[in-house]
Structure formats: structure tokens, C-alpha cells
Amino acid sequence: MSPAKPPAVRVVTDSTASLPPGDHPALSVVPLQVLVGDETFLEGVDMSPDDVADRIGSGQRVTTSQPTPHALVQAYEAAARAGARSIVSIHLSGDLSGTVHAAALAATRSPVPVRVVDSRTVAMGLGFAALAAADSAAAGGTVDEVARRAIAVADSSRAIFMVDSLEHLRRGGRLGAAAAALGTVLGVRPLLAVRDGRIEVIQKVRTRSAAVERLVHVAVESVERRAEPELAVHFLGDDTAATEVAERLLDETGVRAAVTPVSAVVGAHAGPGVLAIVVADRAT
């Protein structure tokens, strides 16, 4: 029997997708960069989420940077060598990172056509979209079909999260100073969400336990509104709270959540103590 023919379309995403471990057919992941002092690391290669948590916990300043266009070109070239005749390159929101713009530049130097998609989300909001697109590609979908699948699942996603401190988001420019001040001036703990590609405060609560309760409530409501819901729970550092939340969500919705660390880059901006839930709809 001859070996299976490789998909004509390859999906490329970036490491902020926070994908769970496993073999993901027709999908390649390009790492973003994590900067600590004068050192530069590639997340998922030589910098893990636990490493980021340790660095932040020890008081080191951690920043991030998008992949270089050259790194993306290399991913496109590898896909072409593997038999891809076209590529769908889907990335985290362009309002949160320049990655999608780097991909657009790299696409002009790719040996095969590249369709660049701004997912307008991050973490498994992006991850679910990339996996659905890869499934479409593996099933023989055209580049238009694969891109539409990515956009549909990304658009269906909702990412909500809480952090122990808003300082990391404010310092990294991912949250306005006025919103960041909510956590200190008013003594409240905001719940945050990715809306239309940007991080926004959606609700204010007083304690971490109240924030967790509200996080679960919002997620359950989101699951109930989706025909074929998928769930992911993200954490950085200790996974105890994430595992407990995933068990609650299974009890209340019947949907088993993937529990996975948030990517090192996202963790650098959210900080230790982040707890996030992502809901998406595979039926879109």
C-alpha cells in the first residue's frame, strides 16, 4: 500500500495557541520569543510556561516578541517541502501582537501561496480554530474551505480569564492604565475577556473565590449557547485550580475540558495565578 498523500493545504499557527500535547496532523507551530534580560528564548523550545512562572516569581522582567518573518518563511518552506501546495497561516489577534503582520510579510516570500488569518483571539480560542482548520485540511479541504473553517471557529470562541495582578498586562501594553487601576484603586478583581481582538474588563468582583465562581458561571452560559461546544482551561504554574474548574465544568455541562498551561508568551503578560476558560463551537 502506498503512503498516504500529504494534505494539499497545510495550517501554520503560533505558540500562543497553547495547544495540548499530541499529534496534530496538517498543523505546524511557530514559536514566539520570550526575552529575559539580554537573553532571548523560543517558547515551547527552550522556554516553558513553568520557566516563565519561575522567572517572574524571582522578580525578573519578562517581555515577549513576535516571530521574525524569517522564522515564518522557514515554516512555509518546510510545509512546501512536505507537499503542501498552499498554506493557511492563522495567528493571535493583531491587536495583541505583530505576529499576523510578520506572517503577511513572510507570505510574500513563501514558495507557495499563503492565506493569512487574524483569529482576533488567543490561547485555545486560536488553538481550537487551528485544530479545526487542520482537520479540514487533512480531510482534503481547499484553501478557501480551510480558511473559512478557521475563521468560523475563531469567531465562535469566547476567552475569559482572571489574573492575580493586572500589572503585567498594563506594563506590557495589553491593558489600558485606567482598566489596570481598577484592581488597585477600587480593590476589585476584574474578570477579563478577549473581545474583537482586544482585552477588556467585563465584570468586577471583590475576591478570587468570587472571581472563580463568576468565571465558571459565564463559561457554563457560553457552553449552553453552542451546538457542539469545546472547552479549555488554562493556568500558569500550579494547575490545582484549573483542574478543579475543569471538573466543575464537566459536572455542570457534560463537556470535558482540555487542561493546558497558557503559553509562555501569554503567561508573561498575564502573570502567575492566571486562570482562563475558552469556549468554542465546532459546529459552526
Side-chain angles (χ1 to χ4, degrees):
M1 180 180 294
S2 60
K5 186 177 180 180
V9 181
R10 183 81 182 181
V11 176
V12 173
T13 190
D14 61 72
S15 53
T16 66
S18 306
L19 293 167
D23 182 28
H24 306 297
L27 177 62
S28 301
V29 180
V30 177
L32 271 73
Q33 301 177 83
V34 180
L35 290 70
V36 184
D38 295 330
E39 297 180 282
T40 300
F41 304 91
L42 297 178
E43 77 162 329
V45 178
D46 49 16
M47 176 64 71
S48 71
D50 284 343
D51 293 333
V52 165
D54 290 343
R55 299 280 186 138
I56 294 173
S58 66
Q60 298 180 65
R61 175 74 183 275
V62 180
T63 58
T64 64
S65 182
Q66 67 208 41
T68 64
H70 177 67
L72 287 151
V73 169
Q74 287 183 311
Y76 300 158
E77 290 174 341
R81 288 194 300 271
R85 295 196 295 273
S86 57
I87 294 166
V88 174
S89 197
I90 175 172
H91 300 285
L92 79 158
S93 171
D95 283 328
L96 300 177
S97 169
T99 300
V100 72
H101 305 297
L105 178 59
T108 65
R109 295 155 47 191
S110 171
V112 296
V114 178
R115 180 80 57 84
V116 178
V117 175
D118 183 343
S119 72
R120 309 299 295 160
T121 186
V122 71
M124 278 297 287
L126 168 60
F128 284 133
L131 290 172
D135 287 345
S136 176
T142 66
V143 68
D144 287 340
E145 290 169 338
V146 172
R148 283 198 298 268
R149 187 79 179 116
I151 293 167
V153 174
D155 285 350
S156 80
S157 70
R158 186 172 193 192
I160 49 177
F161 62 104
M162 52 178 283
V163 294
D164 279 345
S165 170
L166 293 172
E167 177 60 20
H168 299 286
L169 286 167
R170 185 201 62 77
R171 191 167 56 195
R174 269 62 180 185
L175 189 67
L182 285 170
T184 55
V185 175
L186 301 179
V188 299
R189 187 181 295 273
L191 288 185
L192 305 157
V194 179
R195 283 182 172 171
D196 192 27
R198 300 179 179 88
I199 296 174
E200 297 181 355
V201 176
I202 60 170
Q203 194 168 0
K204 296 165 286 187
V205 294
R206 290 288 177 182
T207 65
R208 182 176 175 87
S209 61
V212 172
E213 290 300 316
R214 189 59 189 164
L215 196 68
V216 170
H217 178 74
V218 172
V220 169
E221 286 186 334
S222 295
V223 167
E224 291 173 346
R225 290 195 294 268
R226 285 160 172 78
E228 193 176 335
E230 294 185 298
L231 276 168
V233 181
H234 293 304
F235 64 94
L236 182 66
D238 186 359
D239 68 351
T240 302
T243 301
E244 291 173 352
V245 164
E247 291 172 352
R248 286 190 57 185
L249 290 170
L250 178 60
D251 289 342
E252 296 189 34
T253 69
V255 179
R256 187 173 300 279
V259 180
T260 178
V262 75
S263 78
V265 164
V266 175
H269 290 289
V274 62
L275 181 63
I277 302 176
V278 178
V279 187
D281 193 347
R282 286 190 68 88
T284 53

